[in-house]
């Protein structure tokens, strides 16, 4: 029965968008998300710290845990179970247990426009993932990732460039310079 209702709603774009927007308005209030674009979407079970910012058409999938001072650009995609954690304990005070050593000022974590972070990635707080970068599923990101590079592994290392030529990269950058808009097929994310 519920599956039939969902299929009916998804088949009518206007009704689906109304329901989706209502769900996200509730989630924004519940999670205290004041700095996200109205087109941002996240699954119901994400945990997001206050102060989170997200650009237009960004998406955070199921099971994500996002710590404080995180900013997503436009068109960013997070796969399931992505975590942005760490960088929040002083551990190098001799003679003081880490639990009592205090916390440093938390550095911001920035994910550039059109970045894709695969399922199960762990991103250490304070890193920057450049515009158009892709992080392979299961990677652990401990250092900044330059724009338009694909990284994977533990710790994440460069696999290759995203585009084969500078012309392709320039064309993509020109598209990203335009105002945010919906592209192509109608998307119905999980959650």
């Amino acid at each position: 029965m519920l599956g039939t209702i969902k299929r009916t709603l998804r088949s009518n774009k206007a009704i689906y968008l109304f329901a989706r927007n209502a769900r996200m308005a509730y989630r924004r209030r519940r999670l205290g998300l004041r700095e996200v674009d109205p087109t941002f979407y996240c699954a119901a079970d994400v945990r997001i710290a206050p102060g989170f910012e997200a650009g237009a058409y960004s998406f955070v999938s199921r099971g994500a845990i996002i710590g404080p001072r995180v900013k997503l650009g436009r068109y960013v995609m997070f796969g399931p179970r992505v975590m942005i954690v760490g960088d929040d304990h002083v551990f190098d005070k001799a003679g003081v247990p880490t639990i009592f050593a205090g916390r440093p000022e938390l550095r911001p974590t920035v994910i550039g426009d059109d970045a894709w972070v695969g399922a199960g990635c762990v991103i250490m707080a304070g890193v920057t993932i450049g515009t158009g970068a892709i992080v392979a599923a299961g990677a652990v990101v401990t250092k900044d990732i330059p724009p338009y590079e694909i990284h994977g592994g533990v710790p994440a290392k460069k696999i290759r460039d995203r585009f084969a030529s500078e012309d392709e990269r320039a064309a993509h950058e020109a598209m990203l310079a335009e105002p945010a808009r919906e592209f192509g097929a109608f998307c119905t994310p999980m959650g």
Side-chain angles (χ1 to χ4, degrees):
M1 176 71 176
L2 187 56
T4 304
I5 293 170
K6 283 183 178 182
R7 279 191 298 281
T8 303
L9 288 175
R10 287 184 179 146
S11 68
N12 184 320
K13 185 174 180 178
I15 292 173
Y16 178 77
L17 286 176
F18 175 79
R20 180 179 188 229
N21 290 340
R23 258 193 328 266
M24 274 312 302
Y26 169 74
R27 289 180 192 157
R28 278 193 298 274
R29 265 192 321 278
R30 181 176 56 88
L31 295 170
L33 303 177
R34 293 175 178 80
E35 300 296 324
V36 299
D37 189 89
T39 60
F40 166 75
Y41 189 83
C42 68
D45 65 343
V46 301
R47 292 176 43 201
I48 300 175
F52 175 74
E53 297 177 40
Y57 300 102
S58 291
F59 171 69
V60 175
S61 192
R62 294 180 172 170
I65 299 172
I66 300 175
R69 300 200 63 198
V70 174
K71 180 178 182 178
L72 306 185
R74 301 177 309 153
Y75 310 117
V76 173
M77 293 189 307
F78 276 13
R81 299 173 319 283
V82 169
M83 293 190 294
I84 301 176
V85 295
D87 195 40
D88 62 346
H89 291 284
V90 173
F91 56 84
D92 56 358
K93 283 187 177 178
V96 180
T98 304
I99 196 166
F100 299 114
R103 293 177 180 244
E105 172 139 0
L106 196 60
R107 298 176 297 149
T109 304
V110 179
I111 315 294
D113 292 344
D114 193 35
W116 176 16
V117 179
C121 287
V122 176
I123 301 168
M124 296 306 294
V127 303
T128 296
I129 296 176
T131 296
I134 298 173
V135 182
V140 176
V141 179
T142 60
K143 296 179 182 173
D144 293 353
I145 295 178
Y148 302 106
E149 289 187 3
I150 300 172
H151 285 237
V154 179
K157 295 191 181 332
K158 182 178 179 181
I159 297 171
R160 68 182 186 91
D161 290 319
R162 179 173 171 183
F163 298 112
S165 72
E166 284 300 315
D167 290 341
E168 290 175 327
R169 181 175 170 159
H172 197 76
E173 286 177 342
M175 177 278 300
L176 289 176
E178 298 172 1
R181 62 184 171 90
E182 187 174 334
F183 285 82
F186 178 56
C187 180
T188 56
M190 300 181 299

